[in-house]
Amino acid sequence: MTTNVRALASQVLTPLLKNKGSLNTQMAALERRCPEKDRGLLRELCYGTMRYHPQLNAILKRLQNHPFKYRDIDIKAVALIGLYQLIHTRVPSHAAINESVDACKKLDKAPAGKLINALLRRFQREREAIEADLEQELSYRFNHPEWMIAKLQNNWPDHWQQIINANNLQAPLTLRINALRTDRESYLTQLNVVTEAEPTRFSPQGIRLSQSLNVETLPGYRVGAFSVQDEAAQLSAGLLDLQPGQRVLDACAAPGGKLCHILEAGKGLSQVDAVELEEKRAERITENLSRLGLKANLHIADAATQTWWDGQAYDRILLDAPCSATGVIRRNPDIKYLRQGEDIHQLSQLQADILQNCWAMLKPGGKLLYATCSIFPQENERLIKRFMTQTEDARHLPINAEWGIEREYGRQLFPQENGHDGFYYALLEKVAQA
């Protein structure tokens, strides 16, 4: 039986629209049911629909007489996917509409096909008037939830529109070469035989590709010549100032990109420990270590506790704290839908707890690098400022760099078109007390 890709896309998105799971996890679970030749289309429909969800949902509300019932959220997903095709893809209109109607049959809801057909055809007829009218709504105009727009305007009055514009784009595919296996110049030569690529500006190990593709087809993937990692995340290993003989901890380590970079960059480290709370996410760490031929001590544990710790203090700690992920919306567009304003306060409390716990495991003279992929100061510089005022043996080390913008504490990066994601770093040193 042929697969209706729109029906499968609806099954990917339905749990998200019910506030369950994430786009990445749902895609991983269902993508294997899609013929390989159609997987690119499936990803386009799912990620594209969630990228433009604020706009698409605003349009759908104008087209409806009554909202969809909870049991029919899968049909709502079909409608959103249909609108996405009509507005943002080159799929012929008749094909987008017909396939959407057919998707209802595949979902065992054939009668809903009439509604989908009517909604999409009405949009075609009234598109100009609907879009003009919706320009008055902030969430439609900027394609972000209103709470996020307001928070960005308040936190970053000079940068908020740049951040929003970048969030609405698709992120570039960026690699980090494994310096133990190759060097950037040599690998670029191999890569440019296959696709166009260029070195990143700020990371000496980074390579940015001109197009997205299956990285498993690239030279050296199986033997660990590179990893997929955004340029902003690649900056962490250099900031840690790794030296031979050091004990290093990567707290909150999944999926393992920064951990592997530490192991690639740190010559003669005496011990590298990694902590990850979720066993499923820890599997990704193990997979990455194996492919790259690296080793670390992996603990399935809570970084806010010390039950797993052997009591020997660390010279370096990387704390890539759980956060709102608002700096990586380009890669995870469902964040716009799933994240709520009240989440930020709860996350900042968790971040403070983990930071306090990790600080207790740091040697006097040691350094802790606090990192998030958030663009909100509440999770970043304000949290660090509060920690500094409460911690006598903490010293802030300014980061002198060409990237990002300097803050009172740390440096903040914003997502860049054809560049890095949004990220925050603060480097702290533990002062030996008399």
Side-chain angles (χ1 to χ4, degrees):
M1 185 174 69
T2 59
T3 301
N4 183 295
V5 181
R6 280 80 178 171
L8 193 53
S10 170
Q11 292 175 298
V12 172
L13 298 188
T14 296
L16 270 68
L17 298 178
K18 293 180 176 180
N19 292 292
K20 298 176 182 177
S22 69
L23 184 51
N24 284 339
T25 55
Q26 294 301 323
M27 181 65 72
L30 292 173
E31 192 174 32
R32 65 177 69 93
R33 287 169 46 188
C34 185
E36 194 166 342
K37 65 181 178 63
D38 292 328
R39 288 179 184 175
L41 175 60
L42 177 66
R43 294 184 70 82
E44 164 74 12
L45 294 177
C46 293
Y47 280 84
T49 298
M50 294 312 296
R51 179 168 289 115
Y52 289 100
H53 181 271
Q55 287 186 345
L56 300 174
N57 198 50
I59 292 170
L60 186 56
K61 285 181 179 178
R62 292 298 175 98
L63 295 171
Q64 290 177 280
N65 294 322
H66 305 285
F68 286 98
K69 295 179 179 178
Y70 187 80
R71 65 172 182 266
D72 292 325
I73 294 298
D74 53 350
I75 301 303
K76 179 179 181 178
V78 172
L80 293 169
I81 293 163
L83 288 170
Y84 172 71
Q85 292 170 88
L86 293 177
I87 300 170
H88 295 290
T89 74
R90 296 180 181 178
V91 175
S93 299
H94 67 275
I97 295 172
N98 291 342
E99 287 293 317
S100 297
V101 171
D102 187 59
C104 296
K105 298 176 185 175
K106 292 293 193 294
L107 295 169
D108 293 325
K109 293 186 177 180
K114 291 183 180 180
L115 173 62
I116 293 297
N117 183 65
L119 289 173
L120 296 181
R121 293 195 182 280
R122 182 184 168 194
F123 173 70
Q124 282 187 301
R125 294 193 305 271
E126 302 176 22
R127 175 174 180 173
E128 189 173 338
I130 291 172
E131 291 182 333
D133 190 37
L134 284 171
E135 275 296 320
Q136 307 304 312
E137 295 185 13
L138 287 179
S139 61
Y140 175 83
R141 191 193 317 168
F142 295 112
N143 191 37
H144 280 63
E146 288 193 12
W147 75 264
M148 194 178 289
I149 297 169
K151 196 169 185 67
L152 287 170
Q153 288 173 329
N154 180 57
N155 290 162
W156 304 110
D158 297 328
H159 303 281
W160 70 273
Q161 285 187 293
Q162 171 207 327
I163 295 168
I164 277 177
N165 291 339
N167 282 350
N168 288 331
L169 300 173
Q170 186 171 346
L173 176 58
T174 308
L175 311 179
R176 184 195 76 242
I177 62 106
N178 181 353
L180 298 176
R181 299 287 174 91
T182 185
D183 61 81
R184 182 161 70 174
E185 187 175 347
S186 299
Y187 192 69
L188 268 170
T189 301
Q190 293 183 60
L191 204 54
N192 278 313
V193 175
V194 182
T195 186
E196 292 183 17
E198 62 181 7
T200 53
R201 179 181 174 189
F202 303 116
S203 168
Q205 291 86 34
I207 295 175
R208 187 174 300 115
L209 278 64
S210 62
Q211 60 180 333
S212 292
L213 40 71
N214 182 356
V215 295
E216 294 184 14
T217 65
L218 296 178
Y221 173 80
R222 300 287 178 196
V223 294
F226 68 88
S227 298
V228 177
Q229 188 180 44
D230 181 75
E231 182 183 17
Q234 294 183 31
L235 302 172
S236 60
L239 293 172
L240 282 167
D241 182 30
L242 299 167
Q243 302 295 330
Q246 290 177 338
R247 283 173 51 88
V248 181
L249 169 66
D250 182 357
C252 314
K258 299 180 191 67
L259 171 67
C260 292
H261 197 185
I262 287 170
L263 292 164
E264 293 166 7
K267 300 285 194 295
L269 299 175
S270 69
Q271 184 172 327
V272 178
D273 291 343
V275 174
E276 173 52 43
L277 178 62
E278 298 178 27
E279 189 166 355
K280 193 70 178 174
R281 285 170 56 81
E283 290 175 7
R284 291 283 308 281
I285 299 176
T286 303
E287 290 168 6
N288 284 321
L289 289 170
S290 176
R291 185 178 65 83
L292 296 168
L294 303 169
K295 292 182 179 180
N297 302 315
L298 180 56
H299 305 272
I300 312 299
D302 186 349
T305 70
Q306 297 180 5
T307 55
W308 52 272
W309 184 40
D310 64 7
Q312 297 185 58
Y314 293 98
D315 300 282
R316 297 289 185 269
I317 296 178
L318 170 62
L319 172 50
D320 185 8
C323 71
S324 62
T326 43
V328 293
I329 285 174
R330 302 181 306 172
R331 301 183 191 280
N332 304 278
D334 50 327
I335 289 168
K336 290 182 187 178
Y337 181 79
L338 297 174
R339 188 67 67 209
Q340 301 298 320
E342 55 268 25
D343 297 343
I344 309 303
H345 175 69
Q346 295 173 1
L347 284 164
S348 67
Q349 290 296 114
L350 174 62
Q351 292 154 357
D353 291 344
I354 299 175
L355 175 56
Q356 193 69 50
N357 186 58
C358 286
W359 192 255
M361 296 185 282
L362 184 66
K363 281 183 184 178
K367 295 177 182 179
L368 182 147
L369 180 64
Y370 178 85
T372 77
C373 55
S374 169
I375 50 175
F376 290 136
Q378 192 173 349
E379 303 177 79
N380 297 334
E381 60 193 87
R382 292 180 198 165
L383 182 143
I384 296 299
K385 182 175 184 176
R386 188 167 66 251
F387 178 79
M388 294 296 298
T389 60
Q390 297 170 350
T391 311
E392 291 184 2
D393 60 350
R395 181 164 68 122
H396 172 245
L397 302 177
I399 298 170
N400 297 314
E402 295 181 10
W403 46 261
I405 57 174
E406 185 175 13
R407 309 301 294 167
E408 181 182 3
Y409 293 98
R411 293 187 78 87
Q412 179 71 57
L413 300 102
F414 299 127
Q416 303 290 312
E417 182 178 357
N418 296 317
H420 57 67
D421 289 337
F423 229 86
Y424 173 82
Y425 287 109
L427 187 60
L428 309 179
E429 183 179 38
K430 194 167 194 175
V431 180
Q433 294 185 308

